[in-house]
Amino acid sequence: MATSLTRRRPPWVVFTRRDDPWLNAETARLREQGGRVFRMDGRELREPKNLFAAFARELSFPGHFGHNWDALVDCLHDRHGHGGTTKDIAVLIDNADDLRGAGFLGLFVSVLCQAAWRANLQLDADGVANQHWPPFLLHFVFLLDDMPPSAFVEAAASGMDVKVALEEGRMTATLTGEDWPDPDHHE
């Protein structure tokens, strides 16, 4: 199945070239469906402290956001704000080439995949649907200027339970393993 920002299914994270025509088509479809696109600057995300602050600012996290990886997962999938009533979200990270050398990139990709899995499916770690919150679209796209997506395969794959693939000139990441039930049964 083709990579999409308008379906509640993996891949949750995509690395692609900034000029990929897929990106414009998918973000336009998301907006037509009432979704929202947030943009972040990868140059600001090179250190975890700055990364947490940027996500909190851009996605309107609550004041009690803990500025750590677990809190990032929680705030991304709990819909604490995200700037209004819009529920479907794509986060685009410009200048993502700058993140290639970040020692935490695998962890970052894993965290984004976990948050997207939970938001898109609203399942707990046991695969049980959340009765109180409906699922919503959440995807992340790293936009590359100079490097090919394949340059990020090893770093992204080093994240816990992350499976990467190269498809149609893009690198995609999703979760794998028994802790992450098959999302195709929940769409």
Side-chain angles (χ1 to χ4, degrees), residues 38-91:
F38 291 89
R39 294 196 89 112
M40 302 183 78
D41 188 337
R43 296 173 294 201
E44 189 178 358
L45 309 179
R46 291 183 281 200
E47 298 293 329
K49 178 178 102 171
N50 298 339
L51 183 149
F52 300 135
F55 269 85
R57 180 186 67 244
E58 296 301 322
L59 296 173
S60 304
F61 287 175
H64 65 269
F65 170 58
H67 293 267
N68 61 58
W69 297 111
D70 290 335
L72 183 60
V73 171
D74 291 343
C75 283
L76 284 169
H77 93 282
D78 280 349
R79 295 175 40 195
H80 282 287
H82 304 307
T85 60
T86 302
K87 64 177 187 166
D88 295 334
I89 298 168
V91 177

Side-chain angles (χ1 to χ4, degrees), residues 122-180:
Q122 283 300 348
L123 303 176
D124 65 19
D126 296 323
V128 176
N130 185 320
Q131 304 276 331
H132 306 289
W133 292 327
F136 67 98
L137 290 167
L138 178 61
H139 293 278
F140 301 91
V141 182
F142 288 73
L143 301 173
L144 306 170
D145 293 308
D146 299 317
M147 295 184 185
S150 60
F152 292 84
V153 168
E154 185 176 336
S158 71
M160 183 177 72
D161 295 335
V162 173
K163 175 184 170 188
V164 299
L166 289 170
E167 304 167 354
E168 300 177 3
R170 298 175 204 104
M171 188 202 78
T172 60
T174 192
L175 296 171
T176 187
E178 63 186 48
D179 290 336
W180 310 104

